[in-house]
Amino acid sequence: MNYEHIYKPGEPGHPTFLVLHGTGGTEKDLVPLVNYIDSKAGILSVRGDVLENGMNRFFRRLAEGIFDKEDLEKRTHTLYDFLQSASENYKFDKTNVIALGYSNGANIAASMLYFYEDAFKGAILHHPMTPFEEREMKTSDALPVFIGAGNNDPICPPENTRLLISQLENVGSNVTTEWGNAGHSLTQNELDAAKNWYNKQFS
Ligand code: MLT
């Protein structure tokens, strides 16, 4: 499986970001965020391969906030396989990958943590929801995760994001959260908090 994507190699010692846009976005959207966080990092930014009324997504949903979990599981494996083969083709270190996703992209990045222990060295999830309420995560102990969320987010309800946080904490992940009041949109405050978190964890 190949996805439309952008690849930029990183400088030695810097991670590669797997970048995953929100519903209706493209692989170009979040590249400036990575450059803001670490301009020397590598970038593998992927375009979702599901079309919903012309909008790119990473998996199907049955209604807003109601995921087609079978489709999500299948596409989570496909994305993981793509990440592995991209690391071979582009020769980046697959043990030094940080996920950066927004909304639908954050949700498939989170989904990866239920199936793989070794997908990421860290994750930045902007406005995520739990993809699986009932399932236990597989991710490794003490995975550093940054979550930016909105107290008034109408698309990713705060209680749902809190469930994801507790699922992560239950398997020992090291979660840092930044709650804002601006609904579903990304704020400068949230981006600054993600950058500070990255600098503390990885530089
Ligand atoms: C999803 O479908 O992943 C969430 O509802 C967020 C979004 O609208 O992208």
Side-chain angles (χ1 to χ4, degrees):
M1 166 71 211
N2 212 347
Y3 292 87
E4 290 289 331
H5 65 276
I6 294 171
Y7 177 71
K8 182 197 106 175
E11 293 192 15
H14 289 257
T16 300
F17 278 72
L18 175 68
V19 182
L20 304 160
H21 61 76
T23 297
T26 76
E27 67 279 18
K28 294 186 184 148
D29 294 0
L30 304 179
V31 168
L33 263 61
V34 181
N35 288 330
Y36 181 62
I37 291 172
D38 179 359
S39 59
K40 295 182 177 163
I43 297 177
L44 178 68
S45 187
V46 179
R47 186 191 304 173
D49 60 340
V50 168
L51 273 185
E52 182 191 273
N53 301 322
M55 295 183 297
N56 299 315
R57 288 177 54 84
F58 289 95
F59 57 90
R60 293 184 209 286
R61 60 181 166 182
L62 307 172
E64 178 148 323
I66 306 189
F67 302 158
D68 177 339
K69 291 186 184 157
E70 216 173 287
D71 186 71
L72 171 56
E73 182 171 342
K74 188 184 87 187
R75 290 180 198 276
T76 298
H77 295 303
T78 308
L79 183 61
Y80 179 83
D81 292 344
F82 174 72
L83 176 61
Q84 305 310 299
S85 58
S87 76
E88 280 155 31
N89 294 342
Y90 291 124
K91 308 206 180 330
F92 64 80
D93 178 1
K94 67 179 176 190
T95 68
N96 195 7
V97 173
I98 295 180
L100 186 155
Y102 169 59
S103 191
N104 183 245
N107 294 341
I108 196 162
S111 176
M112 205 89 99
L113 306 177
Y114 294 77
F115 300 102
Y116 298 100
E117 278 178 45
D118 62 343
F120 307 128
K121 204 169 115 183
I124 298 177
L125 307 176
H126 291 290
H127 299 259
M129 296 167 66
T130 178
F132 301 102
E133 293 85 356
E134 310 286 325
R135 210 183 262 261
E136 181 142 329
M137 289 194 173
K138 255 212 168 148
T139 190
S140 59
D141 287 354
L143 181 80
V145 180
F146 172 88
I147 291 187
N151 288 313
N152 307 307
D153 189 329
I155 294 172
C156 299
E159 59 276 16
N160 191 299
T161 304
R162 272 189 219 106
L163 176 56
L164 174 67
I165 294 167
S166 61
Q167 288 173 317
L168 281 160
E169 288 176 340
N170 285 344
V171 292
S173 300
N174 177 5
V175 185
T176 301
T177 53
E178 176 70 24
W179 289 89
N181 293 320
H184 195 56
S185 44
L186 279 170
T187 62
Q188 187 62 43
N189 215 29
E190 194 178 324
L191 302 185
D192 289 343
K195 185 178 164 89
N196 288 339
W197 169 87
Y198 174 83
N199 285 338
K200 276 199 199 118
Q201 295 288 340
F202 300 108
S203 50

